[in-house]
Amino acid sequence: MNEDTIRLVTIGRILRRRWRLLAVLTVVGALVGYGASVLLFPPRYTASASVLLPGQWEERELLTQVDIATSSSVVDRAAANLGWKGVSGSELRDRVTAKAADGNIIKISGTADTPERAQQLSDRMAQQFVTFAAQIAGGSTDATTGLDALRKKVEETNRGITDLADAADPGQTVESVQARTSLEKLRTSLEEAMTKLDQADPTNSKAGMVVMGPAARPTGEAPPTRMQFIVAGALLFFLFAIIGHLAAARMNRRLRTEPEITAALGSALLGTVDVLGEPSAHRSEDGGPPARIRRLLGVDTRWDVPTPQRSGDEAGRRIRYRRVCARLRDQLPAPRRLLVVVPDGDEIARRAAGQLVAEAKSDPLLRVVEVSVDRPTVPDRDIESGALVVLSAGSWTAEELAGIAEACADARHEVVGFIVAGTVRAAQPTRSAGHPPDNATPALAVRGHATGGSA
């Protein structure tokens, strides 16, 4: 297709001429999104509980606490505490998350199928995390006992140093002064060591994590929500419908221009004629339910053809047919009979051929035959000695038109030319003065499906 397919006016044309189909597909997409949200992605609710970590914490230490909060040990304890039937710790591990917030706060979130369960899950996770972290930080009995024993030993050593200092020679000899100085240095070193040990004890500064209240019960679904699924389904189906129309138009190989049709038929253009577009109310109601559904959705007419131009009066349209007939008379060396070949299914071309026969009367003598484009067969040469092809632009591919030309050659008919028919809109609903009478159709205008042989 030409570059019109990428213009905004083309998308506007799709919206105008296929709005019913697009509306139906959008509703179908919304229903598909709703079904997916119900069957594949049931609603989920997320609640969050906050845990405060007092003291000074480095960033890497906070990240370690985040990993501990979602570890299997904490999750398994929370699952055992909740006691939900059929829900194990491995299943809960996919439903809980944790992250470090500002102010040394660990935010633990739990997701469940109801708001109540989401609140319970986040609360239990926060409690079990605090308990487990306290045990890791300062809950070791051996470590506590060892530190207490070390403090007692230091106190006993200080008392021993004091006793030695008191028992030393109170005189001012060099030896006594040196002994008391050494004992004081030893006392100072022990006190500094105990001070550093107390500062390094994690139970002094990083114990006592606090759960900052119960988790708030969620009031809305966690994303993606059901409404988001519905909107996403409707939007995707709408976009796919637009893209499908553009892709089909891009891959369309139907011929539209005069040089393309001339090359396919191997003949010259004799002229273009106009046919009034039939109102939708005059369309045939035959065809069964499929045809009625196509009419209801608006897919029984093509969207990729330009909007028909508004025509003048009927006299102006008849002039085009008369000029084509004059060109035929000038081109034919002698009065001849011609077959007017119309591709089967081309309603515009069929109506144009009927009007052409009515305007030609008997000079030249014309007979209309409809030829299938799938297996084209043209009546053998008898009294007719040539063929005139009438078609509408943008309806047939080069292969289909080449097949019609070959069928004419097989029947020994020379293709003297072709006529392109297009639809126009009536300027006025009233009949003009040049309207042909009702009995103007000649008796020699015959239409029917060609099946081969002489006619």
Side-chain angles (χ1 to χ4, degrees):
M1 188 176 176
N2 56 24
E3 58 184 12
D4 288 343
T5 53
I6 60 175
R7 295 179 180 174
L8 293 179
V9 67
T10 306
I11 299 179
R13 189 183 301 163
I14 296 175
L15 296 178
R16 289 195 306 271
R17 300 187 182 181
R18 289 288 189 267
W19 67 268
R20 294 181 182 177
L21 176 63
L22 294 177
V24 171
L25 292 178
T26 302
V27 173
V28 171
L31 294 177
V32 171
Y34 175 79
S37 67
V38 173
L39 300 177
L40 303 179
F41 302 94
R44 298 284 185 177
Y45 300 88
T46 301
S48 298
S50 299
V51 177
L52 175 63
L53 280 64
Q56 298 296 325
W57 294 79
E58 296 181 3
E59 183 179 358
R60 59 183 180 83
E61 293 177 325
L62 290 176
L63 295 179
T64 301
Q65 296 301 322
V66 168
D67 293 336
I68 293 175
T70 55
S71 63
S72 58
S73 299
V74 177
V75 176
D76 291 341
R77 293 185 180 192
N81 187 270
L82 287 171
W84 290 346
K85 185 177 180 181
V87 180
S88 61
S90 59
E91 295 180 4
L92 287 182
R93 198 169 296 117
D94 298 331
R95 303 185 186 180
V96 295
T97 59
K99 65 178 181 178
D102 296 335
N104 294 347
I105 294 177
I106 302 295
K107 200 170 190 178
I108 302 176
S109 301
T111 302
D113 52 357
T114 61
E116 294 79 7
R117 284 199 166 195
Q119 184 183 31
Q120 294 175 7
L121 177 58
S122 58
D123 286 338
R124 296 297 186 277
M125 284 293 301
Q127 295 171 3
Q128 296 301 324
F129 165 62
V130 170
T131 302
F132 187 71
Q135 292 178 357
I136 295 176
S140 177
T141 304
D142 296 338
T144 303
T145 303
L147 290 175
D148 292 341
L150 180 59
R151 290 190 181 96
K152 291 180 180 179
K153 289 291 184 181
V154 171
E155 291 176 358
E156 293 176 359
T157 303
N158 284 332
R159 285 195 296 269
I161 292 173
T162 302
D163 294 339
L164 289 174
D166 293 339
D169 185 6
Q172 300 297 324
T173 63
V174 176
E175 291 79 4
S176 62
V177 173
Q178 291 178 347
R180 287 195 296 271
T181 302
S182 298
L183 291 174
E184 289 298 328
K185 288 182 179 180
L186 179 59
R187 188 200 305 274
T188 302
S189 299
L190 288 175
E191 291 177 353
E192 290 177 355
M194 287 305 301
T195 301
K196 292 181 180 180
L197 184 62
D198 291 338
Q199 292 176 352
D201 186 3
T203 60
N204 292 335
S205 60
K206 296 183 180 179
M209 294 184 183
V210 179
V211 179
M212 300 174 62
R217 181 170 296 182
T219 58
E221 300 178 15
T225 64
R226 178 167 298 176
M227 182 56 64
Q228 290 174 341
F229 273 106
I230 294 175
V231 173
L235 183 59
L236 284 178
F237 270 61
F238 177 80
L239 292 179
F240 284 156
I242 296 292
I243 295 173
H245 279 78
L246 295 177
R250 175 65 67 178
M251 295 185 296
N252 187 6
R253 297 182 297 118
R254 295 171 179 173
L255 306 182
R256 296 175 176 273
T257 63
E258 174 188 344
E260 293 174 336
I261 300 176
T262 301
L265 290 175
S267 182
L269 175 66
L270 296 179
T272 58
V273 294
D274 296 333
V275 176
L276 282 179
E278 291 183 346
S280 58
H282 295 165
R283 295 176 186 171
S284 174
E285 297 296 331
D286 298 334
R292 287 194 290 269
I293 292 176
R294 287 194 298 269
R295 284 192 293 270
L296 178 63
L297 297 180
V299 297
D300 57 337
T301 57
R302 294 177 55 185
W303 69 269
D304 55 344
V305 294
T307 303
Q309 300 290 334
R310 187 171 296 277
S311 174
D313 55 6
E314 187 168 348
R317 293 192 296 272
R318 293 180 62 183
I319 290 176
R320 290 178 175 268
Y321 289 95
R322 292 171 184 172
R323 289 175 179 174
V324 171
C325 293
R327 294 191 187 99
L328 282 175
R329 286 192 297 268
D330 295 339
Q331 185 171 343
L332 299 178
R336 294 167 60 181
R337 296 173 179 267
L338 295 177
L339 283 179
V340 180
V341 179
V342 178
D344 189 14
D346 196 335
E347 180 64 20
I348 298 174
R350 186 191 65 79
R351 294 171 55 200
Q355 184 65 27
L356 180 65
V357 171
E359 294 296 335
K361 302 221 175 20
S362 59
D363 185 18
L365 191 59
L366 306 177
R367 184 165 70 94
V368 179
V369 293
E370 294 187 14
V371 178
S372 173
V373 294
D374 296 329
R375 300 185 63 182
T377 303
V378 177
D380 292 333
R381 179 173 179 175
D382 188 8
I383 58 176
E384 293 88 0
S385 58
L388 174 65
V389 180
V390 181
L391 72 159
S392 59
S395 300
W396 311 105
T397 64
E399 292 78 5
E400 292 169 340
L401 296 184
I404 293 177
E406 292 177 0
C408 293
D410 292 341
R412 298 181 298 168
H413 290 291
E414 176 190 1
V415 180
V416 298
F418 68 91
I419 301 174
V420 177
T423 57
V424 292
R425 294 180 296 169
Q428 295 179 355
T430 58
R431 295 171 58 181
S432 62
H435 193 281
D438 295 336
N439 57 357
T441 303
L444 291 177
V446 182
R447 57 179 293 268
H449 292 279
T451 58
S454 59

